[in-house]
């Protein structure tokens, strides 16, 4: 019989992502996880210590996207183009309803470590976006208005993941609004 692709640890993480998103953490047994991953149940405990350790490792390892995917490395000279590209990236990466979004929203109430990790990720994204907006306006450091704009962009783009089917905001409209506010 062929061995499933990937290491046992990777297969466990993939199975956990799928099953926790579909069924929830509490309703997914380690026996079901092991079967879905094609590994002995003890391997879950070997790699992650506990089922909660598996959940936290999943969030830590699978929820991080490189900031390069979210925030362009260079700022286009045209401010409208700069904001529009930033918005498209944020909406694409933060606005999609992924299994990780479902897991974080469903489980963070019961796992404070998950709330902390989600807050860290959010803060790092806001910091990167506010730095991009500052560079766009020719400033060396983000001012409070850059930070406020960054928080609004991140929150608005993230909200799309919990409101599937809502009409998307046009990049040009977002750019016009943001640039008017930044002055």
């Amino acid at each position: 019989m062929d061995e499933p692709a990937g290491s046992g640890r990777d297969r466990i993480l993939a199975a956990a992502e799928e099953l926790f998103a579909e069924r929830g953490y509490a309703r997914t047994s380690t026996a079901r996880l092991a079967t879905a991953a094609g590994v002995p149940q003890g391997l879950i405990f070997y790699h992650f210590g506990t089922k909660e350790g598996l959940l936290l490792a999943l969030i830590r390892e699978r929820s991080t996207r490189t900031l390069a995917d979210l925030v362009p490395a260079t700022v286009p000279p045209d401010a409208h183009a700069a904001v529009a590209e930033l918005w498209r990236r944020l909406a694409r990466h933060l606005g999609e309803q992924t299994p990780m979004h479902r897991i974080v929203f469903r489980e963070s109430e019961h796992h404070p470590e998950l709330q902390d990790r989600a807050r860290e990720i959010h803060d790092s994204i806001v910091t990167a976006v506010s730095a991009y907006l500052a560079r766009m306006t020719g400033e060396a450091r983000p001012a409070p208005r850059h930070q406020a704009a960054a928080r609004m962009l991140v929150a608005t783009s993230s909200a799309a993941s919990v409101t599937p089917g809502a009409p998307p905001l046009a990049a040009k409209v977002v750019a016009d609004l943001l640039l008017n506010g930044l002055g």
Side-chain angles (χ1 to χ4, degrees):
M1 184 162 113
D2 289 338
E3 179 74 16
S7 72
R9 186 178 192 285
D10 290 341
R11 292 195 318 270
I12 293 166
L13 287 168
E17 183 174 0
E18 181 181 327
L19 292 172
F20 291 166
E22 179 185 307
R23 301 176 47 80
Y25 170 83
R27 292 182 32 220
T28 302
S29 69
T30 55
R32 176 172 242 153
L33 284 165
T35 300
V39 299
Q41 189 173 358
L43 199 57
I44 294 170
F45 301 106
Y46 172 79
H47 284 297
F48 304 101
T50 64
K51 185 175 147 188
E52 186 172 31
L54 168 58
L55 173 66
L56 296 176
L58 177 67
I59 297 303
R60 204 173 30 253
E61 295 176 29
R62 297 274 173 107
S63 65
T64 57
R65 294 195 185 259
T66 64
L67 292 179
D69 289 342
L70 294 171
V71 180
T74 60
V75 179
D78 174 45
H80 273 84
V83 174
E85 176 59 20
L86 176 64
W87 174 254
R88 279 190 287 275
R89 287 176 182 230
L90 291 172
R92 182 174 55 245
H93 291 293
L94 300 178
E96 64 189 45
Q97 189 175 45
T98 66
M100 291 307 301
H101 279 109
R102 288 193 297 278
I103 293 167
V104 169
F105 290 132
R106 180 184 287 154
E107 305 301 336
S108 63
E109 178 183 343
H110 306 291
H111 302 277
E113 298 89 353
L114 205 61
Q115 288 175 354
D116 293 343
R117 181 64 181 145
R119 195 172 302 110
E120 286 171 17
I121 293 167
H122 175 269
D123 291 348
S124 69
I125 294 169
V126 168
T127 297
V129 170
S130 62
Y132 177 86
L133 294 173
R135 288 193 321 269
M136 186 191 76
T137 58
E139 297 178 42
R141 305 171 105 202
R145 70 182 195 283
H146 298 116
Q147 294 166 346
R151 289 184 68 179
M152 284 189 249
L153 284 170
V154 171
T156 303
S157 60
S158 298
S161 71
V162 294
T163 55
L169 296 175
K172 182 186 179 334
V173 173
V174 172
D176 289 343
L177 182 64
L178 189 73
L179 290 170
N180 286 336
L182 286 175

